[in-house]
Amino acid sequence: MDIALGLLAIVAVVCAGSALGRMVNVPVPLLLVVAGIAGSFLPFIPPVELNPELVLVGLLPPLLYAAAFRTSLFDFSSNRRSIGLLSVGYVVFGTLAVGLVVWWIFPEIPLAAAFALGAVLAPPDAVAATAIARRVGMPRRIVNILEGESLVNDATALVCLRAAVAAIAGSVSALDVAGGFAVAAGGGLAVGLAAAYILTGIRKRVRNVAINTSTSLMAPFVAFLPAEAIHASGVLAVVVTGLVMGTKAPAMPNGAARQSARSNWDTVQFLLENSVFLLIGLQVRTIVESVRDDSLGAGRVWLGCAAILLAVLVLRPVWVFPTTYLPRLIPAVRRKDPAPPWQFPAIVSWAGMRGVVTLAAVLTLPDDLEHRDVLVLAAMVVVAGTLVLQGLTLPGLVRALGVPGPDKREDALNQASLMQRATAAGLERLEQLRREDDPPEVMDMLRRRTQERGLAAWERLGRPGTEAAIPSQRYAQLRMAMLEAERDKVLELRSGGDFAHEVLSEVLERLDVEESMLDASLNELGSGVEGRGEGLSQPGGACDHLATALPSPVPASPACAECAREGTTPVHLRMCLGCGNVACCDSSPGRHASRHFKESGHPVMRSIEPGEQWRWCYVDDLLG
């Protein structure tokens, strides 16, 4: 009964805290940590003991799988050097450097135990970094690097922790540590690939939505448990399984199962990742009280913990800046991946919040270890300190450095262009499949509905300030009202008892499916295109600049000269129709196309990306 009441309270606080955080625009993780700290000191709330096995086996695998499933394998691969230097190099560096700092501050603590604490404190949290990164609108490459780091660094840290704990119990050689890394990495990779292959094969053959979704929910544990059984890295196995299955999922049959799995994983991820931060706060009172009688003295313990927190904050940029720029001294690396502006490594350096894995890992230290409670308190101080100091200041740092996030206007243009290509492919396939005896009205309906869906993507680019609803939006609003009337009628007929329950349920389910599609459409349409105040119009909007702009031939090998000069990488390329200047888009670090317009006054540019023909007028904010 007490367990059920506790779980209910946690879910209730998580839901209320998440709603409040969004309402007052405060990061939800920080709000839940504060709520947990306050709750830990309330007399009617019993002490909450964090079971490390519950976190490392019960919470960590599904959280990592959910994150890996949504991560692009192509983005992960394209940033593999940066991810590897952070998730492996920085964790090993942090383990050794923090361990030496701890041993210097508290020489009474064995060196092996100090390295164990270093391994515990080394990996940034998988949830906190990416949650805040996406909220503050960081550039996509920074978000991809942080996501990739957080997926793999726990595996490295746990291997380092195992080696340190083995050293506490006896002797361990460098060969043993190297062998442990090899077994953990190789075994985790092999088990992850095998689990992904087996589960993907099952899901391809199972049409039942419930069974298919259940298989998806089993995936993290199917990968984690066998890997741990052979002393490989279960964390790495889960990440590999998630990356592979996430890449293959869109190409698999059964769209209903994919939608069901997404919906269920959204709920699981929401509850687990937010509960994690609440649990962190609930540990504070118990951990603080445990060190009161330690022989090191309360004052020295707290000063030492503050110094360890400072070391953790300082050591990350000490690693990040050199590893960002030193590899680019090699000409081949520099040509393939030019050095980013200094603001990028500055943000990566400050996005190092620690989380529940740090607390769970430190609680696995042997109970008879001398000054164990001090090590646990140090981990708690680092977790709370990084969440508060870095979590609260990271949005302000991003704004102060002037680093542009993803341009929603650019994303909307690309989405419309992508939808246009998909629509063209669908219509081409229709022409291949049509037969002479196909009813003309069926062909006309298919063409019309397909083209309307493609046009709706362009309609969403309408000026945000317009009062009149665009056609797709008006259609969705009217159809929603019709569905409400249809549902009311079905419910009225249900009360009469003239129709079987199964028949009524099937009709209501079909109405719900259509309503969910319209809900998604209205959410997209209602959000508009946010940016810096610019609006977009449907193709063909009235604009003298677009009407008089003459087409120009696209260069054979277009490139942004300013990006090459500044050493930045363009995302997409645009060409000025006034002078033919090629420059990068507003999602690129330099935003050189917009800069060219401000300097030259030439109003119209066009996209020169493959397959894109649209033009843009800077003066009238119109698409053509």
Side-chain angles (χ1 to χ4, degrees):
M1 185 65 178
D2 291 340
I3 295 177
L5 186 60
L7 291 175
L8 178 62
I10 288 175
V11 173
V13 172
V14 163
C15 293
S18 299
L20 179 61
R22 290 175 173 83
M23 187 183 305
V24 299
N25 198 28
V26 173
V28 174
L30 302 182
L31 189 62
L32 290 172
V33 169
V34 172
I37 294 174
S40 70
F41 287 95
L42 294 177
F44 56 85
I45 296 182
V48 178
E49 294 186 7
L50 188 64
N51 186 329
E53 187 172 355
L54 170 66
V55 175
L56 297 177
V57 179
L59 298 182
L60 186 60
L63 281 174
L64 286 176
Y65 177 84
F69 191 85
R70 289 171 170 80
T71 298
S72 167
L73 182 60
F74 306 104
D75 290 338
F76 187 94
S77 177
S78 63
N79 293 296
R80 60 185 179 274
R81 185 186 68 253
S82 299
I83 292 171
L85 288 171
L86 287 171
S87 60
V88 179
Y90 170 67
V91 171
V92 173
F93 168 75
T95 297
L96 299 175
V98 174
L100 291 174
V101 170
V102 172
W103 191 49
W104 174 67
I105 296 172
F106 300 120
E108 297 87 349
I109 294 177
L111 180 59
F115 284 143
L117 181 62
V120 164
L121 300 179
D125 182 66
V127 177
T130 54
I132 295 177
R134 292 192 180 279
R135 176 179 172 272
V136 301
M138 293 185 195
R140 284 201 174 95
R141 185 174 188 188
I142 294 181
V143 176
N144 292 335
I145 290 173
L146 292 176
E147 283 183 340
E149 176 196 9
S150 65
L151 289 175
V152 183
N153 60 7
D154 287 330
T156 308
L158 292 176
V159 172
C160 292
L161 178 60
R162 288 176 185 172
V165 171
I168 294 173
S171 60
V172 61
S173 65
L175 184 62
D176 293 332
V177 175
F181 268 102
V183 171
L189 179 63
V191 172
L193 290 173
Y197 176 79
I198 294 170
L199 292 170
T200 301
I202 293 173
R203 296 190 67 193
K204 280 183 179 179
R205 291 165 175 79
V206 175
R207 303 294 301 180
N208 183 276
V209 174
I211 297 175
N212 206 307
T213 304
S214 300
T215 304
S216 172
L217 295 174
M218 291 166 52
F221 302 102
V222 170
F224 183 85
L225 295 177
E228 289 294 313
I230 63 171
H231 304 291
S233 172
V235 169
L236 184 59
V238 170
V239 170
V240 171
T241 301
L243 286 171
V244 174
M245 293 189 68
T247 302
K248 291 181 174 295
M252 293 175 63
N254 202 340
R258 292 197 299 271
Q259 181 66 28
S260 174
R262 279 195 297 268
S263 177
N264 281 279
W265 271 113
D266 285 344
T267 304
V268 169
Q269 187 175 15
F270 167 79
L271 288 175
L272 291 186
E273 70 182 18
N274 287 297
S275 298
V276 157
F277 294 109
L278 184 61
L279 289 172
I280 289 174
L282 289 171
Q283 307 304 303
V284 170
R285 180 180 178 183
T286 302
I287 294 174
V288 169
E289 290 178 347
S290 66
V291 298
R292 286 180 177 174
D293 300 326
D294 193 274
S295 61
L296 295 176
R300 184 183 172 197
V301 166
W302 282 103
L303 285 175
C305 290
I308 293 171
L309 170 61
L310 179 62
V312 169
L313 295 175
V314 170
L315 287 171
R316 186 167 171 88
V318 167
W319 175 266
V320 169
F321 274 90
T323 55
T324 298
Y325 293 108
L326 288 179
R328 290 175 170 88
L329 295 178
I330 303 172
V333 174
R334 186 171 61 250
R335 283 193 302 269
K336 187 176 181 181
D337 184 15
W342 67 269
Q343 292 91 338
F344 278 40
I347 293 173
V348 172
S349 299
W350 198 241
M353 291 74 72
R354 272 58 173 181
V356 73
V357 174
T358 292
L359 276 184
V362 79
L363 292 175
T364 63
L365 295 177
D367 293 334
D368 58 351
L369 180 64
E370 190 176 3
H371 305 295
R372 177 181 183 274
D373 291 337
V374 175
L375 299 179
V376 175
L377 177 64
M380 180 72 247
V381 169
V382 170
V383 170
T386 54
L387 281 174
V388 173
L389 293 176
Q390 295 180 322
L392 284 177
T393 59
L394 185 58
L397 177 66
V398 173
R399 287 191 293 269
L401 294 180
V403 178
D407 188 351
K408 294 188 178 182
R409 182 184 64 177
E410 185 81 19
D411 288 347
L413 286 169
N414 290 328
Q415 181 183 348
S417 177
L418 180 62
M419 184 63 73
Q420 185 176 4
R421 296 190 205 180
T423 299
L427 293 173
E428 181 180 352
R429 181 61 171 165
L430 176 64
E431 294 302 320
Q432 294 172 357
L433 295 175
R434 65 172 302 180
R435 299 182 303 214
E436 292 184 2
D437 58 344
D438 285 328
E441 61 271 16
V442 173
M443 295 294 104
D444 291 341
M445 183 184 301
L446 286 169
R447 293 190 190 95
R448 186 179 69 253
R449 290 187 176 179
T450 304
Q451 289 170 344
E452 286 174 352
R453 187 188 60 187
L455 289 174
W458 292 102
E459 289 171 359
R460 286 201 308 113
L461 306 180
R463 292 180 183 270
T466 182
E467 296 181 1
I470 61 176
S472 297
Q473 190 172 23
R474 185 59 178 158
Y475 169 85
Q477 292 170 346
L478 293 173
R479 185 59 189 144
M480 287 287 280
M482 294 171 64
L483 285 173
E484 184 178 356
E486 293 171 17
R487 183 177 293 101
D488 290 343
K489 186 62 177 179
V490 174
L491 294 177
E492 177 187 334
L493 295 172
R494 183 181 66 176
S495 61
D498 296 329
F499 297 91
H501 174 73
E502 290 79 3
V503 174
L504 291 163
S505 297
E506 185 172 348
V507 173
L508 289 171
E509 183 177 344
R510 291 186 179 186
L511 296 178
D512 288 341
V513 170
E514 186 175 357
E515 182 178 344
S516 67
M517 295 171 64
L518 290 171
D519 273 334
S521 176
L522 281 172
N523 286 337
E524 291 182 0
L525 293 168
S527 63
V529 181
E530 301 173 6
R532 294 166 300 282
E534 299 93 341
L536 304 179
S537 142
Q538 292 176 243
C543 173
D544 292 338
H545 303 104
L546 289 171
T548 58
L550 298 176
S552 300
V554 178
S557 300
C560 178
E562 291 298 314
C563 281
R565 186 177 62 82
E566 296 176 4
T568 57
T569 303
V571 177
H572 294 124
L573 293 178
R574 311 293 182 231
M575 187 177 75
C576 174
L577 294 184
C579 64
N581 177 70
V582 175
C584 60
C585 67
D586 281 358
S587 291
S588 305
R591 300 186 176 187
H592 294 122
S594 293
R595 191 182 303 178
H596 173 74
F597 160 68
K598 293 176 183 177
E599 294 173 352
S600 67
H602 298 163
V604 181
M605 64 83 170
R606 61 153 293 186
S607 170
I608 55 173
E609 290 298 311
E612 295 185 1
Q613 302 291 331
W614 55 266
R615 299 173 299 159
W616 173 256
C617 175
Y618 285 103
V619 177
D620 296 321
D621 286 346
L622 284 176
L623 183 76

